[in-house]
Amino acid sequence: KWDFTPQLFVWGHGGVGKTTIVKQTLNEKGYFVVDLKLSQMSPVSAAGLFYPNVENGETIRLLNKRLKEVYQVLQNGGKAAIFFDELMRAHPDTISAIWELVLERTLDGHNFKGLFVIGASNPDLRKVALIGQPFFNRFKQVVLQPDVKEVANYIYSRTNCVHVATLLNVRNDLLLIEGDVFYKATPRLWEFVAQACESGLSTEGFVTNDVWE
């Protein structure tokens, strides 16, 4: 059950479905959602570019395309959310560039009032983060752990592969839960296996014969 607060931080290991769940839930609630993978972005690509106004000499921020889309939705009375994915992998300068947006819902005069901000990251990276605790105190934090039955039902609904869904229900020890056992597969990988099965591709290399047996 989601409690829709202004800011949410989702912790979860890679492949557990953070992006899928966030987007699906927000779309069902009528939100326009923009996904920004901060680990792949510079400060300029994340928050926009400053340029001088030749008429009055002031500096103006030129929003990037995706932020501009969010801004326009909010200005028109719609609901919008920004999903800052892979936040812990982002460069500190990139995080600093979005700081005003997270704290004040503004970017140099652009009003983002009503914006729903969501961050997400792998919990293992929390130990080596350069981000101070005050940043995280701004978020309601949740830990996402996959439920075997929910994952099996989701994979079946997406692929119609009864084999993987049945396997996970019988051998739930094969699903990565805590993220500390390298030989277990994440929900994302099991979905790939199901897609391979349904497309007629061999599962060799994905699932060994002793597992199927």
Side-chain angles (χ1 to χ4, degrees):
K1 182 179 179 180
W2 281 54
D3 177 14
F4 274 79
T5 53
Q7 295 184 158
L8 186 69
F9 202 100
V10 182
W11 298 99
H13 292 282
V16 302
K18 297 185 296 295
T19 302
T20 299
I21 291 176
V22 167
K23 286 184 176 180
Q24 180 178 325
T25 304
L26 289 174
N27 286 331
E28 290 175 354
K29 296 292 184 179
Y31 279 80
F32 174 76
V33 184
V34 166
D35 178 8
L36 300 180
K37 286 184 170 51
L38 290 187
S39 63
Q40 304 172 17
M41 305 183 75
S42 68
V44 171
S45 61
L49 177 69
F50 286 103
Y51 72 99
N53 186 331
V54 295
E55 295 181 357
N56 55 24
E58 295 181 354
T59 301
I60 302 175
R61 183 189 292 269
L62 180 63
L63 299 177
N64 66 42
K65 180 180 179 181
R66 285 172 288 181
L67 282 183
K68 187 175 182 180
E69 290 174 343
V70 170
Y71 178 75
Q72 291 174 341
V73 169
L74 293 172
Q75 294 303 304
N76 292 330
K79 297 191 296 184
I82 295 182
F83 179 44
F84 291 120
D85 200 3
E86 300 180 0
L87 193 148
M88 300 295 291
R89 294 182 182 273
H91 191 279
D93 289 344
T94 301
I95 296 176
S96 296
I98 66 167
W99 186 257
E100 183 184 359
L101 183 62
V102 172
L103 296 185
E104 307 295 340
R105 296 299 193 276
T106 61
L107 271 178
D108 295 289
H110 294 88
N111 187 355
F112 286 82
K113 183 179 180 180
L115 176 66
F116 188 9
V117 175
I118 302 178
S121 190
N122 188 316
D124 293 338
L125 299 175
R126 182 69 180 91
K127 302 174 184 178
V128 296
L130 299 177
I131 309 172
Q133 188 60 40
F135 180 86
F136 294 106
N137 290 342
R138 301 282 179 168
F139 294 85
K140 177 176 182 180
Q141 302 184 46
V142 297
V143 178
L144 181 61
Q145 293 185 338
D147 176 84
V148 175
K149 285 190 175 181
E150 289 183 357
V151 171
N153 291 337
Y154 172 78
I155 290 176
Y156 179 72
S157 69
R158 295 269 293 181
T159 66
N160 291 321
C161 179
V162 67
H163 303 295
V164 169
T166 302
L167 175 65
L168 288 178
N169 278 313
V170 175
R171 290 288 308 276
N172 52 40
D173 59 299
L174 296 174
L175 181 66
L176 181 68
I177 300 294
E178 297 298 333
D180 56 352
V181 183
F182 72 91
Y183 62 81
K184 293 185 179 182
T186 64
R188 180 190 298 159
L189 182 54
W190 278 118
E191 184 178 356
F192 288 162
V193 173
Q195 292 171 347
C197 291
E198 288 305 290
S199 65
L201 296 177
S202 170
T203 58
E204 184 178 357
F206 290 101
V207 184
T208 59
N209 290 332
D210 63 312
V211 170
W212 287 118
E213 294 171 358

